[in-house]
Amino acid sequence: MMKHSVCVLGGGSFGTALANIMANNGHQVSQWMRNEEQVEEINLTGLNSRYLPNAPLHRELLATSNLEQAIRESDTVFVSIPSKSFEQVVQRIEPLLTADKILISTTKGFNPNRFELMSDVLRRNSITQKIGVLSGPNLAKEIAAGQMTGSVIASADDLVRQRVIELLKSPTFRVYENRDSKGVELAGALKNIYAIVCGLAKALNVGENTMSMIMTRSLAEMSRFAVHFGANPMTFLGLAGMGDLIATCTSPLSRNYRVGFAIGSGENLDDAVGGIGEVAEGVNTLKMVVEEAHKHGLYMPLAEGLSKLLFDNAKLESLIGSMMTGEQKWDVEFATNEESDNV
């Protein structure tokens, strides 16, 4: 196997888990982060105690705060930066890019400054268009613990997909390919909204019938929104869609689920978000998605109900009521398009 030089931007849990897999695979891996104490801790102790406290890291994994050197020395760059800082970091690396460098986004969210996906931010550079999106049911603590995990690399570029599969393939991490970047990325961003809804529902001790209904209606909303913006509805039946939705809507390891659970347990939004200590992308995503749904006339009762609950002091009953009394009547609208009168 050819050895590659890789840089992972970001010191969070998922970026660290990916960097560790690639170092274990024998690739030369540097992980860039702003926090000097975190850099020192990883290099001296082999631990990222803030984000992955129980996961010893490969001794060859090098943490660094020198962004320029990390980018120059790498042929593949994974951008694992929270959405609020993503654009700023990408602007910093742009002068360091060359035409042969591959850029992969692992961030599940939208640019908070405008309705734009992370891969769109990457594509704005004029140097390289070798761009991909990595998404799926990727709870970082499970990956770091060696639990078997599948993920999806989406790109129109064959080389990009093959490179990521080569870098990350391991006995416990399997990467599948997809050409539908738009669908894979929208699935990863949108499901965070519905993880909040499910956490909230779980705190209220709803039944399993209710949970399964919420999740499948969530999938319908996600795919309806994404298809409007050019995604393939079939993408939502795969790991990046249904797979990721199940993982984040049922697991206390999911930050967005925990936010929903805290709110369902009586906390206000600020305390729920603050109590997590990591970024829960779903709250910002919700605002943007509801705004776009209004603009394009898209029917999204769960997102709409959650938005009213979080931002307009609506009662919880209105969220449940919106799902039970709405106008939608087809179960799977893409399978009944000819006769469906709901879109």
Side-chain angles (χ1 to χ4, degrees), residues 79-95:
V79 189
S80 297
I81 302 283
S83 60
K84 65 177 169 50
S85 315
F86 194 98
E87 185 174 32
Q88 177 201 355
V89 172
V90 170
Q91 284 168 351
R92 278 186 66 188
I93 69 170
E94 188 170 346

Side-chain angles (χ1 to χ4, degrees), residues 23 27 30 93 116-117 126 128 147 153 167-168 172 176 182-183 196 247 256 259 272 307:
H27 301 289
S30 61
I93 69 170
E116 180 181 50
L117 290 161
S126 55
T128 176
Q147 300 277 357
I153 175 64
L167 289 170
L168 288 169
T172 59
Y176 295 84
K182 180 73 60 98
I196 297 175
N256 294 284
V259 165
S307 176

Side-chain angles (χ1 to χ4, degrees), residues 131 154-158 161 178-181:
I131 288 164
S155 175
D157 187 318
D158 295 353
R161 298 194 309 274
N178 194 320
R179 288 193 175 85
D180 179 23
S181 288

Side-chain angles (χ1 to χ4, degrees), residues 235-307:
T235 295
F236 286 78
L237 298 180
L239 268 175
M242 195 68 209
D244 202 3
L245 187 69
I246 291 168
T248 45
C249 286
T250 59
S251 172
L253 291 176
S254 157
R255 290 167 284 199
N256 294 284
Y257 175 96
R258 294 208 307 273
V259 165
F261 194 90
I263 291 164
S265 304
E267 287 188 30
N268 66 39
L269 178 60
D270 289 343
D271 290 344
V273 171
I276 284 181
E278 293 180 76
V279 178
E281 295 278 5
V283 178
N284 294 330
T285 299
L286 177 64
K287 288 179 182 169
M288 203 163 275
V289 164
V290 168
E291 195 178 300
E292 288 300 315
H294 284 168
K295 207 183 288 181
H296 297 273
L298 298 170
Y299 176 63
M300 300 185 72
L302 284 173
E304 183 88 40
L306 182 63
S307 176

Side-chain angles (χ1 to χ4, degrees), residues 2-15:
M2 185 178 170
K3 300 300 177 201
H4 291 283
S5 174
V6 186
C7 171
V8 175
L9 303 181
S13 51
F14 188 49

Side-chain angles (χ1 to χ4, degrees), residues 137-203:
N138 298 151
L139 298 164
K141 289 183 174 68
E142 289 190 1
I143 295 169
Q147 300 277 357
M148 279 186 277
T149 301
S151 196
V152 179
I153 175 64
S155 175
D157 187 318
D158 295 353
L159 169 69
V160 171
R161 298 194 309 274
Q162 290 312 313
R163 173 72 57 83
V164 172
I165 289 168
E166 191 181 337
L167 289 170
L168 288 169
K169 191 176 179 184
S170 79
T172 59
F173 198 80
R174 170 83 191 265
V175 184
Y176 295 84
E177 5 179 5
N178 194 320
R179 288 193 175 85
D180 179 23
S181 288
K182 180 73 60 98
V184 166
E185 198 167 11
L186 279 169
L190 292 166
K191 55 88 196 180
N192 288 326
I193 294 172
Y194 302 101
I196 297 175
V197 175
C198 285
L200 209 151
K202 204 66 181 171

